[in-house]
Amino acid sequence: MKKLILIATIFFSLTAISKGQTLLLNENFDYPVGSELTNNGWNVTGSNVTPVVKVTAASITYNDYLSSGIGNEVTLSNSGQDVNKLFTKQTSGTIYFSFLAKVTSATTTGDYFFHTAADPVGSIFHGRVYVKKNASDKLAFGISRGTETAQYSDFIYDLNTTYLIVMRYTIVSGATNDLAALYINPPLNSPEPASGWLTNTLSTTTDLSNVAA
């Protein structure tokens, strides 16, 4: 099983909503600072390596985002434990994942720090969200549907800045044709943008049997 290498320190709060606005998961990390996520409803993905993912004190906010200012956060480093949290299995439709992220460091080659998976969680990860930096320390975010090469944005984002990231995953009937897309800082209290999504149309990885983690 591939070990997920997290290449940035990222603080995030997660919401997952399916098409039709059914709330599948709302995670604000409202647990004691210093507690392990695996003691708060999360599961280990793969090997239980160290350092473990722990709750850290709240430090980021985002204007008008409903989950901003609620609970705490987690800090991810360049290696360590991978964790997942389950929600009701989805076998059709579109699921939207949104989270706040502040990247304090990244590599120039990039790697993914968030993904979705099936239940049971195995080694097939889809909707992977990537980040990398250039020589000027500007960031680019990327998306892949599965194991394909990530499609990246331009290097227009900054370290130590909080971003609202939305990953859209669409389940399409067939074997290798699900869709993944990414939007950074979408307009709030507005209809879903028809343009501006970063998409990855490469389709070589077998689709997930369900989306549930």
Side-chain angles (χ1 to χ4, degrees), residues 152-206:
Y152 278 95
S153 70
D154 293 332
F155 288 96
I156 57 175
Y157 302 103
D158 296 308
L159 291 166
N160 302 305
T161 300
T162 301
Y163 293 104
L164 171 57
I165 299 177
V166 176
M167 191 274 283
R168 182 181 68 192
Y169 192 86
T170 303
I171 301 170
V172 181
S173 179
T176 57
N177 52 2
D178 287 354
L179 303 173
L182 196 68
Y183 204 111
I184 311 298
N185 289 349
L188 298 177
N189 302 313
S190 301
E192 179 180 341
S195 60
W197 290 89
L198 180 66
T199 59
N200 195 319
T201 58
L202 296 175
S203 298
T204 60
T205 306
T206 300

Side-chain angles (χ1 to χ4, degrees), residues 55-110:
V55 177
T56 50
S59 68
I60 62 175
T61 58
Y62 191 90
N63 288 341
D64 298 324
Y65 185 57
L66 293 180
S67 289
S68 180
I70 302 175
N72 291 302
E73 58 201 35
V74 294
T75 303
L76 308 178
S77 57
N78 64 337
S79 64
Q81 187 184 56
D82 302 333
V83 292
N84 68 81
K85 193 169 188 178
L86 297 172
F87 51 84
T88 302
K89 293 180 182 180
Q90 304 298 301
T91 56
S92 64
T94 299
I95 304 99
Y96 298 83
F97 300 85
S98 66
F99 53 92
L100 299 180
K102 181 174 73 172
V103 181
T104 62
S105 63
T107 68
T108 55
T109 53

